[in-house]
Amino acid sequence: DGETPARDFGTSQAGVTTNVVHTVTENSVPGYHFVTYIVGSGSCSGNGYGQLPASFLIPNDSQSYDREVTLCNSRDTGTIKVIKDVDPNDNSQWDITISGPTNNSDVLSDGEDTGVLSSGTGSYAIAETGHTGTNAGDYSSTYSCTDAQGVVTSGSGTSLGFTLATGQNVVCTFTNNMRLGSISGYKYHDKNANGIFDGTDTTLDGWTIFLDDGDGVLEGGETSTLTAGGGAYSFTNLVPGSYTVCEVLQGGWTRVYPTANNGCYPVSVGPGQSVTNQDFFNFQNVTLSGYKFEDVNGDGIWDGGEPPLDGWTINLIGTASATVVTGAGDWDEGYYEFPNLGPGSYAISEVLPISGEWMQTTSPTTYNFTSLSGVTNVVHLDFGNFEFAKVWGYKYNDLDADG
């Protein structure tokens, strides 16, 4: 089979009997089979004489004869092929080592193979290790070897063994799955807006959390989930890498935490890593409202029959500032409101005319308020005003003094 034949293993013999047919034979060796024998000069690639024992005659004459006998053996062979499968393909490289009667090695990436390797029969061990820059521990590894009859061996791990028989063609596939990670957290109703789950805070179900492409806006194709089971959410089976976790902020709420990065969490997920505590804290906004009325009897109470007053200026100062006019737009007569206020402290006051014809009769003159999430509407922050009465008359120069 193209191999160098084994010669002169201490089998030379002198002074043999002439005019006699001599024979030469050999014991069988596992992994090899006899092909032919040659008497005299020649090579195993040429024509031989067939099966053992090798036989030849030394003539009976005065000449000296040497007979060289070559026994030709061929190694029993099969084939081995190793395929690499990496999911997902991350351009990782893997060192493949084949140890046995025929040794081989190669470096493979996803979709590559060693080619069909002619291999001597016998026991083999095949192993893979991460090439430079590839950490095998970042992957879960399995293997499967098959031949024409079915599965030769399979299992989990990065090494395997089997016995190759004559004519057997074995194909082994190493499959490496990157260990996946996860991201999880909770959605909280942060009533005191301190960014901590404490006190009377509760969880929020039914809010959308999503993996963002970087702009903080949920778009088609982006992965999303709803908080449930006590405000919990999670994203599982994540390929290691960088992610941005955001929430869809509902109307009437203020995001307390996080506030940086468009209110999102930048998260790095390693192989097999579970990143937890990516929590979102939200405050339910508050509306402050009241009426402006004419306190006809000046008792500081809005009694029946006392009219509301439009066109009066009401000021809001504090964490946010605003100015409205009572009865504006579609509002009821005398009504005002400051809607959708986030966490903070506020003061509401009215602006009295500079003419001095009105006085405020209700108390307090200024409403001070610290917003508490969940108290969505604070009403009847009313202002009552009394219009001073006018006393007027004329001054005469009574020339005839008749009164």
Coordinates of all heavy atoms in Angstrom, one line a residue, residues 287-290 314-318 324 336-338 341 346-350 360 364-369 378 381 383:
T287 N -52.6 65.9 39.5 CA -53.3 67.1 39.0 C -53.8 67.9 40.2 O -54.5 67.4 41.0 CB -54.5 66.8 38.0 OG1 -53.9 66.1 36.9 CG2 -55.2 68.0 37.6
L288 N -53.5 69.2 40.2 CA -53.9 70.1 41.2 C -55.0 71.1 40.6 O -54.7 71.6 39.5 CB -52.8 70.9 41.8 CG -51.6 70.1 42.4 CD1 -50.5 71.1 42.9 CD2 -52.0 69.1 43.4
S289 N -56.1 71.2 41.3 CA -57.2 72.0 40.7 C -58.0 72.7 41.7 O -58.0 72.4 42.9 CB -58.1 71.2 39.8 OG -58.8 70.2 40.6
G290 N -58.8 73.7 41.3 CA -59.6 74.4 42.2 C -60.5 75.4 41.4 O -60.6 75.4 40.2
I314 N -53.8 82.5 38.3 CA -53.4 81.6 39.3 C -52.0 81.1 39.0 O -51.7 80.7 37.8 CB -54.3 80.4 39.4 CG1 -55.8 80.8 39.6 CG2 -53.9 79.5 40.6 CD1 -56.1 81.6 40.8
N315 N -51.1 81.2 39.9 CA -49.7 80.9 39.7 C -49.3 79.6 40.4 O -49.7 79.3 41.5 CB -48.8 82.0 40.2 CG -48.8 83.2 39.3 OD1 -49.0 83.1 38.1 ND2 -48.6 84.4 39.9
L316 N -48.4 78.8 39.7 CA -47.8 77.6 40.3 C -46.3 77.8 40.3 O -45.7 78.2 39.3 CB -48.1 76.3 39.5 CG -47.4 75.1 39.9 CD1 -48.1 74.5 41.2 CD2 -47.5 74.0 38.8
I317 N -45.7 77.6 41.5 CA -44.3 77.7 41.6 C -43.8 76.5 42.3 O -44.5 75.8 43.1 CB -43.8 79.0 42.3 CG1 -44.3 79.1 43.7 CG2 -44.2 80.2 41.5 CD1 -43.8 80.2 44.5
G318 N -42.5 76.2 42.2 CA -41.9 75.0 42.8 C -41.1 74.2 41.9 O -40.4 74.7 41.0
V324 N -52.0 80.0 34.9 CA -53.2 79.8 34.2 C -54.2 80.9 34.5 O -54.0 81.6 35.5 CB -53.8 78.4 34.5 CG1 -52.9 77.3 34.0 CG2 -54.1 78.3 35.9
Y336 N -59.7 76.2 37.4 CA -58.3 76.1 36.9 C -57.7 74.8 37.3 O -58.2 74.1 38.2 CB -57.5 77.2 37.6 CG -57.1 77.0 39.0 CD1 -55.9 76.3 39.3 CD2 -57.9 77.3 40.1 CE1 -55.6 76.0 40.7 CE2 -57.6 77.0 41.4 CZ -56.4 76.4 41.7 OH -56.1 76.1 43.0
E337 N -56.6 74.4 36.6 CA -55.9 73.2 37.0 C -54.5 73.2 36.5 O -54.2 73.9 35.5 CB -56.6 71.9 36.5 CG -56.5 71.7 35.0 CD -57.0 70.4 34.5 OE1 -57.9 69.8 35.2 OE2 -56.6 69.9 33.4
F338 N -53.6 72.5 37.2 CA -52.2 72.3 36.8 C -52.1 70.7 36.7 O -51.9 70.0 37.7 CB -51.3 72.8 37.8 CG -51.3 74.3 38.0 CD1 -52.0 74.9 39.0 CD2 -50.8 75.2 37.0 CE1 -52.1 76.3 39.2 CE2 -50.9 76.5 37.1 CZ -51.5 77.1 38.2
L341 N -48.4 66.8 37.1 CA -47.3 67.2 37.8 C -46.5 66.0 38.4 O -47.1 65.1 39.0 CB -47.7 68.1 38.9 CG -48.4 69.4 38.5 CD1 -48.8 70.2 39.8 CD2 -47.5 70.3 37.6
Y346 N -44.8 72.1 45.6 CA -45.4 73.1 44.8 C -46.2 74.1 45.7 O -46.6 73.8 46.8 CB -46.5 72.5 43.8 CG -45.8 71.5 42.8 CD1 -45.8 70.2 43.2 CD2 -45.3 71.9 41.7 CE1 -45.2 69.2 42.3 CE2 -44.7 71.0 40.8 CZ -44.7 69.7 41.1 OH -44.1 68.8 40.3
A347 N -46.3 75.3 45.2 CA -47.1 76.4 45.9 C -48.0 77.0 44.8 O -47.6 77.4 43.7 CB -46.2 77.4 46.5
I348 N -49.3 77.1 45.2 CA -50.3 77.7 44.3 C -50.9 79.0 45.0 O -51.3 79.0 46.2 CB -51.5 76.8 44.0 CG1 -50.9 75.5 43.3 CG2 -52.5 77.4 43.1 CD1 -52.0 74.4 43.1
S349 N -50.9 80.1 44.2 CA -51.4 81.3 44.8 C -52.2 82.1 43.7 O -52.0 81.8 42.5 CB -50.3 82.2 45.3 OG -49.4 82.5 44.3
E350 N -53.0 83.1 44.1 CA -53.7 83.9 43.1 C -53.1 85.2 43.0 O -52.4 85.7 43.9 CB -55.2 84.0 43.5 CG -55.4 84.8 44.8 CD -56.8 85.1 45.1 OE1 -57.7 84.9 44.3 OE2 -57.1 85.5 46.3
Q360 N -58.8 88.6 49.6 CA -59.0 87.1 49.7 C -59.5 86.7 51.0 O -59.1 87.2 52.1 CB -57.6 86.4 49.5 CG -57.7 84.9 49.4 CD -56.4 84.2 49.1 OE1 -55.5 84.8 48.5 NE2 -56.2 83.0 49.6
P364 N -55.8 78.6 53.1 CA -54.7 79.5 53.2 C -54.6 80.4 52.0 O -55.3 80.2 51.0 CB -53.5 78.6 53.2 CG -53.9 77.4 52.4 CD -55.4 77.2 52.7
T365 N -53.9 81.5 52.1 CA -53.7 82.4 51.0 C -52.8 81.7 49.9 O -53.0 82.1 48.7 CB -53.1 83.7 51.4 OG1 -51.8 83.4 52.1 CG2 -54.0 84.4 52.4
T366 N -52.0 80.8 50.3 CA -51.1 80.0 49.4 C -51.2 78.5 49.7 O -51.1 78.2 50.9 CB -49.7 80.5 49.4 OG1 -49.6 81.8 49.0 CG2 -48.8 79.6 48.5
Y367 N -51.5 77.7 48.7 CA -51.6 76.3 49.0 C -50.2 75.6 48.7 O -49.7 75.8 47.6 CB -52.6 75.6 48.0 CG -54.0 75.9 48.3 CD1 -54.7 76.9 47.6 CD2 -54.7 75.3 49.4 CE1 -56.1 77.2 47.9 CE2 -56.1 75.6 49.6 CZ -56.7 76.6 48.9 OH -58.0 76.9 49.2
N368 N -49.7 75.0 49.7 CA -48.4 74.3 49.6 C -48.6 72.8 49.6 O -49.4 72.3 50.4 CB -47.5 74.7 50.8 CG -47.0 76.1 50.7 OD1 -46.3 76.6 49.8 ND2 -47.5 76.9 51.7
F369 N -48.0 72.2 48.6 CA -48.3 70.8 48.4 C -47.1 70.0 48.0 O -46.3 70.4 47.1 CB -49.4 70.7 47.3 CG -49.8 69.3 46.9 CD1 -50.7 68.6 47.7 CD2 -49.2 68.6 45.8 CE1 -51.1 67.3 47.4 CE2 -49.6 67.3 45.5 CZ -50.6 66.7 46.3
V378 N -55.9 66.3 43.2 CA -56.2 67.1 44.4 C -57.0 68.2 44.0 O -56.6 69.1 43.2 CB -54.8 67.6 45.0 CG1 -55.1 68.4 46.3 CG2 -53.9 66.4 45.4
L381 N -58.7 73.3 45.6 CA -57.8 74.3 46.1 C -58.3 75.7 45.7 O -57.9 76.3 44.7 CB -56.4 74.0 45.5 CG -55.8 72.6 45.8 CD1 -54.5 72.4 45.1 CD2 -55.7 72.3 47.3
F383 N -60.0 79.6 45.8 CA -59.8 80.9 46.2 C -61.1 81.7 46.2 O -61.7 81.8 45.2 CB -58.8 81.6 45.3 CG -57.4 81.0 45.4 CD1 -57.0 80.0 44.4 CD2 -56.5 81.4 46.4 CE1 -55.7 79.5 44.5 CE2 -55.2 80.8 46.4 CZ -54.8 79.8 45.5

